[in-house]
Amino acid sequence: MILAFTTLVLAGLAVPHGATGSTVTSAAAARAQDELPPLSMDRLSFSDAISRAERLRKMVVILWSREDDPRSASLRRSVLDDGEVRRWILDHAVAAEVDVDLNEHEARQNRIGPLQTPSIDIYSVTRGGRIDRLMIGSDAVDFLATVMGQTDGTVVTRPEGEAANEPFRWLAWANQCYRTEGVEIGLEAVRAYDWCLKSADAVRPGFRARYFEFLVRRLLECKTRSSDAVPTLERELERLAKLLLAGKASRRDAYECSQLVTWLDTSTRGRTLMAELAAMGESRSQERRWLISATAPQLGQQREYGPLAAAVGEDAVAIFLARAEELRRAAVLASRPTGAAASEEADEASPPDLPERVARFLCEPLPYAAPDTRADLLSDASWVFEALLHEGRIDDARALQRELAALYPKAPRAYALFMERAMRVKNFELVVEIGGAGVGNLDERGVMRVERLLRRIPADGGK
């Protein structure tokens, strides 16, 4: 959820004031967002939307859509229905929905085809061009980061003087450079995004957490224009790794390290980091647990089982049950109406009888972190399961699979993934045991998946 901020206008630049890392909005702030007028999205042609914006001296936000396409409604909900996005559009832009089937010629002129529908384009009529295009999967943070400082009539320049330490000025400048062709300006974009990544929090605490994914994605997209883009992120990964090894990292540091390991596809660095932490013993047990999600697939695929088994210690079941409970709580809170009382949320989100062995591994939601999923949880647990089997901890491995299957009895992954992992270490008896449980619980499609795996067992049972 995007925070409801009061805004401070600084030389034509809309700056969210008082940004923090909190994910919880007050009831008053939530009501303030809900009291905004509904976003008007007139169905216009592209040329009519541009003409209206020129007359009103505003920017243009276009939703390219098709009638009755559920993805169009989904993109609108994830981006345009956010309170802060609505506020910016009401102040600075004309918003219109353009049907690509009714306006085929204009869609082609704007390079809108089947793969670009639906999408949201942000235009500046003053500068005469598109600022950015947001596709399915984008959210309100992407929109706000893109338009920060982009108000028609404002000239975006490199921050200097009093603006030299203003993060939102640097973000606006980085976006401007990112959209401008040229090698040198591409390098300037990298430098500006890097400044936001490394220096902004000293001025505006919480800035980095809110825009981390956006900044990293933009830096990666700059790699074709600047040879320094990827090394910039690799240096940041090493800085975070050193904090983890020194025992000085926060959960946020560990999360960002995990994300960089994943996005940079640096499987070797993730694995070596876990091995280094494992060598430090219990003094780095927390740091190892924080990195399980990013490194479990890499360690498992390379059959480097020791660091992975060490990461969970004797607590594999409790660690993953705690993670499942965090998923449940997040789902409860997400289902509540905006502005619901915090006490009511707490009553529904917190079960009364959570065992202490599980409760001690619960973590508060990390602000602006990518949401966990059941699929990721089961995948990570299956790699831990394989590591435990390899290390001879068969009872621990069996307990982990059984607990998760009891929690998600209708999920094919709760059986099939673990069967595949047991197959890799040639424990065919356990494959049969898990498969039998799956056949008794899954629907027809899930049973077919389990039976296909059972047929892969060698005729001699591996003997």
Side-chain angles (χ1 to χ4, degrees), residues 385-407:
F385 168 86
E386 181 177 325
L388 294 175
L389 287 179
H390 183 269
E391 298 296 295
R393 297 167 56 183
I394 296 176
D395 289 343
D396 290 341
R398 179 182 279 113
L400 176 60
Q401 187 276 327
R402 285 181 174 176
E403 290 278 5
L404 292 175
L407 198 59

Side-chain angles (χ1 to χ4, degrees), residues 197-198 201 208-209 212-213 216 233 235-263 273 277 286-292 294-295 366-369:
L197 196 64
K198 295 177 180 174
D201 255 25
R208 175 180 168 118
F212 180 75
E213 274 82 2
V216 172
L233 292 175
R235 289 191 292 270
E236 185 62 11
L237 171 58
E238 284 306 310
R239 185 187 72 82
L240 294 168
K242 288 178 181 178
L243 289 177
L244 285 159
L245 291 168
K248 297 179 179 179
S250 65
R251 268 185 70 216
R252 183 76 207 181
D253 293 329
Y255 168 76
E256 292 179 357
C257 183
S258 296
Q259 294 295 85
L260 288 173
V261 164
T262 301
W263 290 331
L273 179 56
L277 291 168
Q286 179 173 257
E287 286 80 3
R288 294 198 303 268
R289 288 197 300 273
W290 282 340
L291 295 178
I292 287 174
T295 59
L366 195 62
Y368 303 114

Side-chain angles (χ1 to χ4, degrees), residues 9 27 53-54 140 144 149 151 154 160 170 189 196 256 265 289 307 350 406 410 452:
V9 177
E54 288 174 340
L144 292 170
T151 55
T154 299
E160 296 176 348
W170 278 104
C196 292
E256 292 179 357
D265 195 24
R289 288 197 300 273
S350 302
K410 302 299 182 182
R452 282 196 299 271

Side-chain angles (χ1 to χ4, degrees), residues 72-137:
S72 299
S74 175
L75 184 60
R76 175 166 180 160
R77 283 193 302 271
S78 64
V79 178
L80 301 175
D81 285 353
D82 174 79
E84 280 301 305
V85 172
R86 280 187 289 158
R87 188 185 305 281
W88 185 90
I89 291 175
L90 287 169
D91 289 342
H92 301 296
V94 168
E97 184 169 359
V98 179
D99 190 308
V100 298
D101 294 321
L102 298 179
N103 300 272
E104 292 184 29
H105 179 65
E106 290 184 326
R108 285 196 302 272
Q109 284 185 322
N110 285 276
R111 298 183 179 180
I112 296 291
L115 295 179
Q116 292 77 40
T117 308
S119 59
I120 295 171
D121 278 350
I122 306 161
Y123 292 88
S124 166
V125 295
T126 299
R127 289 196 290 273
R130 187 175 67 221
I131 298 297
D132 207 352
R133 172 169 291 169
L134 304 181
M135 308 293 292
I136 280 288

Side-chain angles (χ1 to χ4, degrees), residues 65-375:
S65 67
R66 282 191 167 86
E67 190 173 1
D68 298 326
D69 182 353
R71 297 187 309 154
S72 299
S74 175
L75 184 60
R76 175 166 180 160
R77 283 193 302 271
S78 64
V79 178
L80 301 175
D81 285 353
D82 174 79
E84 280 301 305
V85 172
R86 280 187 289 158
R87 188 185 305 281
W88 185 90
I89 291 175
L90 287 169
D91 289 342
H92 301 296
V94 168
E97 184 169 359
V98 179
D99 190 308
V100 298
D101 294 321
L102 298 179
N103 300 272
E104 292 184 29
H105 179 65
E106 290 184 326
R108 285 196 302 272
Q109 284 185 322
N110 285 276
R111 298 183 179 180
I112 296 291
L115 295 179
Q116 292 77 40
T117 308
S119 59
I120 295 171
D121 278 350
I122 306 161
Y123 292 88
S124 166
V125 295
T126 299
R127 289 196 290 273
R130 187 175 67 221
I131 298 297
D132 207 352
R133 172 169 291 169
L134 304 181
M135 308 293 292
I136 280 288
S138 300
D139 59 20
V141 169
D142 296 319
F143 184 98
L144 292 170
T146 296
V147 302
M148 197 58 63
Q150 305 291 336
T151 55
D152 265 12
T154 299
V155 178
V156 180
T157 58
R158 196 177 198 277
E160 296 176 348
E162 293 182 359
N165 290 316
E166 173 49 61
F168 292 101
R169 287 294 185 103
W170 278 104
L171 183 56
W173 172 240
N175 288 338
Q176 174 74 11
C177 295
Y178 170 81
R179 289 184 290 269
T180 304
E181 294 183 2
V183 175
E184 187 59 35
I185 201 71
L187 178 58
E188 181 65 16
V190 170
R191 291 169 178 161
Y193 285 127
D194 189 37
W195 188 97
C196 292
L197 196 64
K198 295 177 180 174
S199 304
D201 255 25
V203 182
R204 293 190 177 277
F207 181 99
R208 175 180 168 118
R210 191 181 192 198
Y211 295 109
F212 180 75
E213 274 82 2
F214 178 86
L215 295 170
V216 172
R217 186 170 67 250
R218 280 293 172 87
L219 281 165
L220 287 173
E221 289 169 354
C222 285
K223 66 183 180 182
T224 58
R225 300 174 59 193
S226 171
S227 60
D228 201 38
V230 172
T232 293
L233 292 175
E234 290 173 340
R235 289 191 292 270
E236 185 62 11
L237 171 58
E238 284 306 310
R239 185 187 72 82
L240 294 168
K242 288 178 181 178
L243 289 177
L244 285 159
L245 291 168
K248 297 179 179 179
S250 65
R251 268 185 70 216
R252 183 76 207 181
D253 293 329
Y255 168 76
E256 292 179 357
C257 183
S258 296
Q259 294 295 85
L260 288 173
V261 164
T262 301
W263 290 331
L264 290 170
D265 195 24
T266 53
S267 61
T268 301
R269 187 60 187 115
R271 286 154 43 212
T272 58
L273 179 56
M274 281 292 271
E276 292 173 272
L277 291 168
M280 295 181 176
E282 285 303 304
S283 65
R284 296 293 180 271
S285 59
Q286 179 173 257
E287 286 80 3
R288 294 198 303 268
R289 288 197 300 273
W290 282 340
L291 295 178
I292 287 174
S293 291
T295 59
Q298 300 167 354
L299 291 166
Q301 288 164 9
Q302 297 300 318
R303 301 182 187 273
E304 296 174 5
Y305 299 120
L308 190 50
V312 296
E314 303 296 322
D315 301 301
V317 172
I319 288 170
F320 281 97
L321 288 182
R323 189 167 157 187
E325 173 59 20
E326 291 164 8
L327 273 178
R328 189 198 68 81
R329 294 185 181 191
V332 169
L333 294 179
S335 67
R336 292 196 59 81
T338 303
S343 60
E344 294 178 12
E345 290 179 351
D347 288 343
E348 287 193 24
S350 302
D353 299 317
L354 198 65
E356 174 56 30
R357 68 187 180 93
V358 175
R360 70 191 183 96
F361 291 110
L362 287 175
C363 296
E364 290 298 315
L366 195 62
Y368 303 114
D372 197 6
T373 67
R374 187 178 72 180

